[in-house]
Amino acid sequence: MTEFKSGMSRRDLLAMIGTVAGSVAMYNAMTTLGFAQASTYDGPVKLEGDPKGASVLILGAGLAGMTAALELRAVGYKVQVLEYREKAGGRCWTLRGGDKYVELGGFEQEVKFAEGNYINPGPWRIPHHHYGVLDYCKRFGVKLEPFIQTNFNAYLHRTDAFEGKPVRFREALTDYRGHVSELLAKVVNQNALDETVSADDAKLLLESLKTWGVLDENYAYVKSNDTSEFRGWAKEPGGGVDGAPVPSEPMTLSDVLQSRVWQHLVDGDSIEHQSTIFQPVGGMDMIAKGFEKEVGDLITYNAKVTKIDQSDTGVTVTYVDSQSGEGTETASADYCICTIPFSILGQIEHNLSGEMTAVIDSMSYAGSVKFGLEFKRRFWEQDERIYGGITYTNLPISLISYPSTNYFSDGPGVLLGGYSWGATAYQFNAMSPEDRVKKAVEYGAQIHPQYTAEFSNGVAVTWHRVPWVLGCFGIWADKENQYATAAAMDGRTLMAGEHISYLPAWQEGAILSAIDAIKRLHAHVTAA
Amino acid sequence: MTKLTIAAAAALSLFLTAPAMAQDAAMFASPSKLTQTGGENIYKAICAGCHMPEGQGAVGAGKYPALANNANLESAGYPIYLIIHGQKAMPALGSVLDDQQIADVVAYIRTSFGNDFAEPVTVEEVTDAR
Ligand SMILES: Cc1cc2nc3c(=O)[nH]c(=O)nc-3n(C[C@H](O)[C@H](O)[C@H](O)COP(=O)(O)OP(=O)(O)OC[C@H]3O[C@@H](n4cnc5c(N)ncnc54)[C@H](O)[C@@H]3O)c2cc1C
């Protein structure tokens, strides 16, 4: 994912996790934050050998569960999937006009978005190197379009900088780079780096700083047509009589530094956030629907698993109707793949091993909140020329993301009106949905005054109140020491899902963990 | 109303609203910490999100246990541990709340929602559980 950002900086969050659970959680979080490895997906699964009629019960119809179901049936397993919800996809989820969402506590939100508008309360971006997700999209014909992460024309905003006025990303980036380059050039020219940099390299360093920082012939970062070409103009170049442009005045070094807007300059630079990033046309759940088309016939919906009982010969799972809690039924199979988040699995009666139980019980889940706000018109495009991308702020909403689709359309548009973590998310979680939305509109109006007049309706999803996950993604108590236990086959059961991966909180992690689990299961079955 | 009672009423309403206003200002004051103080305020600001305003809990595919009439709260060490370290659907709040806040909110839930575990909760107990 993720912006653990703005409000809470990446450093704050790492420090916070560091104090809570030690360096392992810290490493774990760093992978989440975008310093992670590329996907190890190596093409469509090829399982060889006959499963000899073996059956598998899969718990949960999120992407992990459906990946396992699809691939296991393809090679000849008898597969049944039990799913709590009335539909498949799990966290891969989209809300559209007409949808109703009831969160824990009974608050119902009815989404009133106009036809075609949507919000992804969970996953919203697919990095270019998440080969597994992208491959399934291709196989299912899920249409993808670019997701705009970095938009140089979007804003950086802090309530305590520039009198609360947002600056354009390009201004902050160009000025920061320009001033830093000028300083470094000064140091080189004072021969202060003679001991570290050879004379030859120093010459090239100066040359490169001039290019990179847009410095003048004296290695100074100044107001000029050249710097305005990067940071933007006071008056844009035009045609005809008054066509001559007017250059803009850079911010001072001190202003740039003191404003702290530089915190967000690298947000789009980690591998997960570098161009090209994708989103499914029409909403993230197009992926869920793609899977569901393939394996929907295997899924028992509205089935709340309440007990997992494994023996030497098989696994029997008890489930009840999700809504009424009644109508106890059982399903049995030779093996089980469990993708139920540990936040919930830890509350289900089971006879997994003691070691596995200890891991399940010690995992906690991160909190997060997302807002979908619909406005009567796309003022960000019409008034501010912002087409997709993300504005960052230190307000409790952390960011505003503009839709990377249907540009220039008339009629209402939906923004991601905020995406926050930590203490902020917990507080939003304790508010009614209406109050959350109201707050998000108030905060957003500090960046876009048009909010007040143009707001139409909104939804807010806080992940600890999502009835079928109870959190956003799993945080290990001690990943280094626990991971092998959690991933190992326990009796006749294998765990899979986002949490059993080194790509936590990414759909790719869910898919890769499922593929790995079924490969090991199949090796076990065919060796028997 | 006499002048005196008006003044008294005004003073009383000031007295009543000032702390409420302070709690309002504390909302979202820090992205990484809760800055509300006092057991009830802390409970309302975050705990109520899952355990619900009357401590009744909530049930979905899993559940948030009711705190109302909850015998597990008899030992203060239990909620203290869970709040600091988290587990399952309970997030780790050890870095979001300080020792005083945890002691206060634990004392609050132990004496609210039909619970009557009156022994005080000390800050030291929380510090020791970290
Ligand atoms: C806010 C947020 C932002 C994210 N951003 C991104 C992103 O930009 N890109 C990205 O790739 N990923 C992102 N992710 C992560 C991604 O959503 C997950 O990694 C992935 O969807 C998890 O899939 P899963 O199959 O492991 O779990 P889930 O999708 O949670 O599936 C588990 C299933 O089990 C079911 N279940 C639960 N309890 C029971 C029970 N008792 N009985 C029966 N069934 C049960 C649930 O209903 C669910 O369908 C984000 C997640 C969140 C929450």
Side-chain angles (χ1 to χ4, degrees):
Chain A
M1 2 171 58
T2 12
E3 278 69 43
F4 279 110
K5 292 282 142 143
S6 68
M8 180 186 295
S9 74
R10 179 183 303 238
R11 225 182 15 257
D12 284 348
L13 186 92
L14 287 176
M16 172 184 129
I17 295 175
T19 36
V20 176
S23 60
V24 181
M26 183 101 145
Y27 169 75
N28 181 11
M30 282 171 68
T31 61
T32 310
L33 292 170
F35 309 110
Q37 310 87 331
S39 167
T40 53
Y41 182 76
D42 57 0
V45 183
K46 288 189 204 72
L47 299 178
E48 271 158 33
D50 183 358
K52 296 167 237 159
S55 57
V56 181
L57 201 46
I58 296 171
L59 310 183
L63 295 196
M66 289 196 287
T67 301
L70 176 81
E71 301 297 354
L72 285 175
R73 170 161 69 181
V75 69
Y77 285 86
K78 286 186 223 138
V79 178
Q80 183 182 2
V81 186
L82 298 177
E83 166 56 45
Y84 172 81
R85 300 177 72 196
E86 73 295 351
K87 62 177 167 184
R91 277 168 271 183
C92 174
W93 179 33
T94 300
L95 286 171
R96 302 182 177 79
D99 285 345
K100 279 191 185 139
Y101 164 54
V102 182
E103 63 179 33
L104 285 179
F107 288 108
E108 176 174 297
Q109 299 185 69
E110 197 180 328
V111 187
K112 302 203 192 78
F113 296 162
E115 174 86 35
N117 284 341
Y118 69 85
I119 190 76
N120 294 319
W124 53 319
R125 305 179 272 212
I126 308 172
H128 74 282
H129 65 311
H130 283 187
Y131 309 122
V133 180
L134 293 173
D135 197 34
Y136 281 105
C137 286
K138 185 162 165 50
R139 284 160 66 182
F140 300 151
V142 174
K143 250 186 149 24
L144 299 172
E145 63 191 345
F147 172 96
I148 310 299
Q149 167 74 38
T150 304
N151 179 344
F152 288 73
N153 207 36
Y155 297 119
L156 297 176
H157 169 263
R158 286 190 62 102
T159 46
D160 55 2
F162 309 117
E163 285 148 15
K165 286 198 200 69
V167 296
R168 301 273 185 181
F169 184 91
R170 77 162 62 79
E171 297 168 347
L173 177 67
T174 310
D175 292 354
Y176 179 81
R177 206 158 60 185
H179 285 302
V180 169
S181 299
E182 178 182 311
L183 284 179
L184 184 51
K186 251 183 211 146
V187 175
V188 174
N189 280 327
Q190 289 163 356
N191 303 324
L193 293 181
D194 283 3
E195 289 189 3
T196 10
V197 181
S198 72
D200 253 13
D201 286 351
K203 238 176 90 192
L204 287 169
L205 177 55
L206 283 175
E207 217 177 302
S208 70
L209 289 171
K210 221 176 187 173
T211 308
W212 198 63
V214 200
L215 306 183
D216 69 5
E217 62 286 358
N218 302 315
Y219 300 101
Y221 179 68
V222 295
K223 172 180 178 175
S224 68
N225 284 355
D226 287 341
T227 55
S228 290
E229 198 60 65
F230 288 81
R231 74 181 309 286
W233 302 85
K235 176 175 174 287
E236 298 267 334
V241 180
D242 287 328
V246 178
S248 63
E249 187 72 57
M251 302 181 263
T252 65
L253 172 64
S254 176
D255 280 352
V256 176
L257 293 177
Q258 295 296 330
S259 75
R260 294 184 171 269
V261 290
W262 43 261
Q263 285 180 333
H264 297 290
L265 293 177
V266 297
D267 280 12
D269 290 359
S270 65
I271 306 174
E272 270 92 0
H273 302 94
Q274 289 169 9
S275 297
T276 309
I277 309 175
F278 295 101
Q279 66 181 13
V281 175
M284 189 56 81
D285 71 353
M286 292 300 174
I287 301 180
K289 290 178 184 189
F291 271 104
E292 200 172 14
K293 226 161 141 189
E294 302 284 328
V295 301
D297 59 318
L298 301 177
I299 303 174
T300 305
Y301 295 96
N302 298 306
K304 171 175 164 174
V305 171
T306 55
K307 185 176 171 190
I308 303 168
D309 184 16
Q310 54 175 354
S311 69
D312 293 344
T313 53
V315 184
T316 299
V317 171
T318 307
Y319 61 98
V320 297
D321 179 79
S322 300
Q323 297 313 314
S324 67
E326 285 163 14
T328 304
E329 296 194 52
T330 58
S332 297
D334 299 324
Y335 299 95
C336 175
I337 292 186
C338 177
T339 74
I340 295 176
F342 281 5
S343 45
I344 293 170
L345 184 59
Q347 309 183 20
I348 291 176
E349 187 183 344
H350 63 69
N351 61 353
L352 297 160
S353 71
E355 300 83 63
M356 182 67 91
T357 305
V359 181
I360 295 168
D361 289 354
S362 69
M363 186 176 282
S364 65
Y365 274 65
S368 118
V369 58
K370 269 175 131 183
F371 305 85
L373 307 179
E374 184 169 71
F375 295 89
K376 291 171 211 153
R377 63 181 184 96
R378 296 179 158 235
F379 59 79
W380 52 93
E381 295 183 358
Q382 293 160 6
D383 305 352
E384 290 158 288
R385 302 285 169 193
I386 297 173
Y387 306 100
I390 299 175
T391 282
Y392 291 99
T393 171
N394 69 331
L395 286 165
I397 50 175
S398 300
L399 57 78
I400 295 172
S401 174
Y402 313 91
S404 299
T405 193
N406 285 327
Y407 304 110
F408 302 102
S409 53
D410 291 324
V414 171
L415 294 176
L416 175 67
Y419 182 15
S420 301
W421 302 86
T424 307
Y426 296 134
Q427 288 170 82
F428 275 118
N429 189 55
M431 296 162 66
S432 71
E434 300 77 53
D435 285 350
R436 292 175 206 146
V437 168
K438 208 170 128 225
K439 279 278 170 205
V441 172
E442 268 170 43
Y443 291 130
Q446 296 184 38
I447 299 169
H448 296 285
Q450 302 98 315
Y451 259 54
T452 315
E454 305 293 350
F455 176 69
S456 160
N457 69 89
V459 293
V461 172
T462 59
W463 278 87
H464 268 100
R465 279 210 195 171
V466 174
W468 33 271
V469 213
L470 310 186
C472 174
F473 69 93
I475 298 177
W476 293 76
D478 182 0
K479 190 165 193 171
E480 194 175 18
N481 289 311
Q482 295 178 322
Y483 191 81
T485 304
M489 190 153 167
D490 191 281
R492 293 181 159 256
T493 304
L494 278 154
M495 302 294 159
E498 158 280 310
H499 49 303
I500 313 293
S501 80
Y502 277 84
L503 289 150
W506 289 103
Q507 297 173 110
E508 185 75 359
I511 287 179
L512 292 184
S513 80
I515 290 176
D516 182 63
I518 60 165
K519 280 183 178 166
R520 285 182 290 127
L521 175 65
H522 189 61
H524 174 87
V525 168
T526 49
Chain B
M1 257 195 269
T2 66
K3 266 197 182 142
L4 198 70
T5 50
I6 290 171
L12 186 67
S13 77
L14 251 185
F15 175 74
L16 285 175
T17 54
M21 273 161 53
Q23 296 306 322
D24 257 14
M27 186 155 96
F28 303 131
S30 156
S32 54
K33 306 244 182 255
L34 200 79
T35 59
Q36 286 85 340
T37 53
E40 182 174 0
N41 291 322
I42 293 165
Y43 184 84
K44 284 186 176 150
I46 47 174
C47 316
C50 297
H51 294 287
M52 299 295 145
E54 303 304 324
Q56 70 269 39
V59 180
K63 67 172 182 193
Y64 292 109
L67 301 182
N69 306 310
N70 189 329
N72 288 337
L73 297 178
E74 178 164 8
S75 149
Y78 178 69
I80 290 173
Y81 180 89
L82 285 187
I83 291 170
I84 295 174
H85 301 285
Q87 69 168 25
K88 303 175 189 172
M90 173 75 197
L93 298 173
S95 65
V96 174
L97 300 169
D98 66 23
D99 293 357
Q100 181 72 55
Q101 288 171 310
I102 294 174
D104 289 349
V105 80
V106 168
Y108 175 74
I109 58 175
R110 291 179 78 238
T111 52
S112 308
F113 319 125
N115 300 312
D116 191 15
F117 305 112
E119 316 89 279
V121 182
T122 66
V123 172
E124 288 69 44
E125 278 175 90
V126 181
T127 313
D128 291 347
R130 285 202 183 256

